[in-house]
Structure formats: C-alpha cells, structure tokens
Amino acid sequence: NHSHDNEVAVSETDYRDPTAGDGHHLTRRLGDKPNFMVVKDNWKLTIPKLASSPTKDQLYNIALDPFEMNNMLGHNAASASTEIIGKAEHLKVLLIEWMERMNGGSKGYYSNPVFNAGEGRGDIVEVKSRRTWNHLPVWVSDTELMIGQPALIGSTYIRNEYLFIGRTSQGKDLGVYSISLEGKDGHFFDLTGFLTGPIHPGTHKRVKVTFQSSRQYEDFAINLDAQIRVCHSEGKDIIIKLQGCNSIMSGGKCHVTEESDEDDDAQIGISYKIY
C-alpha cells in the first residue's frame, strides 16, 4: 500500500431492470436505493449514486453493531457528530479514490453517464457532490489511527497507513500550519505527503503514516506511545492517537470494545484491546 489504502472493500449494485417490451426503459430511477457500499476496518458506509437522491446514507460500526441496527448518521444525517462526519467523509473519499483507479482511462466507467443508462453526471461527480451531513470547517478521518500488522521487508518491519484531513465549509481556505509526531515511540514513524499548507473548501489532503523498525512490532504494539498533532487555523489542535495491534496475540485482528454507554450517534468511542 505504498500509494493508497488497499485494505478497503467496495461493492456496487444497480437495482434497475429493463422493463418488459422494448427494453429501453428501466423499472427504477438511479439512486432509488443505495448503490455503493464501502468498508474500511470496522466501518461501513452505503450511499446512492445520485447526489440529489432522497435515499438515506447509512454508516455502521460493524464490530459493535454487526446486525446494523444503529445508523451512526442517525435518522437525519445533519445531526451527526463531528467525529462521525469525519468517518463518513473518510469512507466517501476511499470510494472516490477507488472509482478513479477503476475508471478505465478514456472508457470512463465511473465518469461517463452512459454507464448508468444516461442518468446522472457519472458516479464520481455524483458521489463527490453528495453530502447529506453537515459541512465542517475541518474534518479528520480518525481520532485514533490503528497501525496494522507490518510486513517484514528484508530485516525491517514496514507498514503504511493514511490519515485524511479536509474542509467542506465554504468561504476561506483551511490553513494547516503543521502536522507532527509526538510521544516516546514517535521515532518509529514518518509522515509524508501533505504536512502544511492550505486546504480549499470542498477538498481534502492525505498524510502517509509509515511505521518502520527493525524490532518486532509485537514488542511494543500494545503500549504504543505516539500521536499526531495537527495545528490549523480553525481553533484547537487536533490530536490523533496512534494505536498498535498485536495480531499474533489477537488471532490476526484487533478487537474493539465500547468505552462508554453514551449515545452512539454522538461519538465514535472505540479502544483496541488484545484478547
């Protein structure tokens, strides 16, 4: 995953069928139901292909809610918390990046409306334009970024993760003054990509977070002491805690537990524990 997050699952469904007769008409309209599903770690977002669709967007924490009973965006996505909106923006960005990679060059599978029977403006434009939740002056993809199991390359353990930061509020640019590492284990990480500068309204930037060490990751994964600090123009610094995961002890994955019984719509509230 040197250039993008490759641990993302995307599925696409089109519920429209040709009508009986000439076959030139469809039984449904584009966006009548969710068309895309994107899953990253414990999070799943479903979203239609049409920016103006009245279909409800849905965001689930499938580790804490495997039966998908609690839509974290709520009955009205405009009431979602800042943390939840950040995660919805994150999954939407991952979906857009996937469509751009799968677009087929000049064929335009996800940019040419012909592949939706002429409806809409192309999936990439429609998904980029869709936002049923509130606009924010600044959003981040994670407040706790889990560092997955590294790969042993030669004699060095290496793992890349990606942090996203963006602005959806209109008006002036978001100014990012610095993005830096802190903590006694911070020297095991490098930050590359976007580290300072403006972020224009309606856009985002990506920070590549690279773990690199000759030591076995399990030696300190559970008690990892490292965090990222984002200094920006919209107020208080944003702190992103870097979380380790001992996949050998945990059977190949991290387990999640709720930190509190407070309203799930109001916070993400996840910690990683090894069993």
Side-chain angles (χ1 to χ4, degrees), residues 143-160:
T143 54
E144 294 184 352
L145 181 62
M146 187 178 76
I147 309 302
Q149 185 70 11
L152 181 59
I153 301 176
S155 59
T156 304
Y157 293 90
I158 299 176
R159 175 76 183 195
N160 295 315

Side-chain angles (χ1 to χ4, degrees), residues 167-187:
R167 177 184 178 91
T168 53
S169 296
Q170 296 302 307
K172 63 182 181 179
D173 292 345
L174 167 66
V176 176
Y177 305 135
S178 65
I179 301 178
S180 58
L181 286 160
E182 299 177 342
K184 69 179 181 64
D185 294 323
H187 64 281

Side-chain angles (χ1 to χ4, degrees), residues 186-206:
H187 64 281
F188 291 113
F189 296 88
D190 286 316
L191 303 179
T192 54
F194 177 81
L195 298 179
T196 184
I199 298 179
H200 305 312
T203 67
H204 67 275
K205 298 292 185 180
R206 182 171 61 177

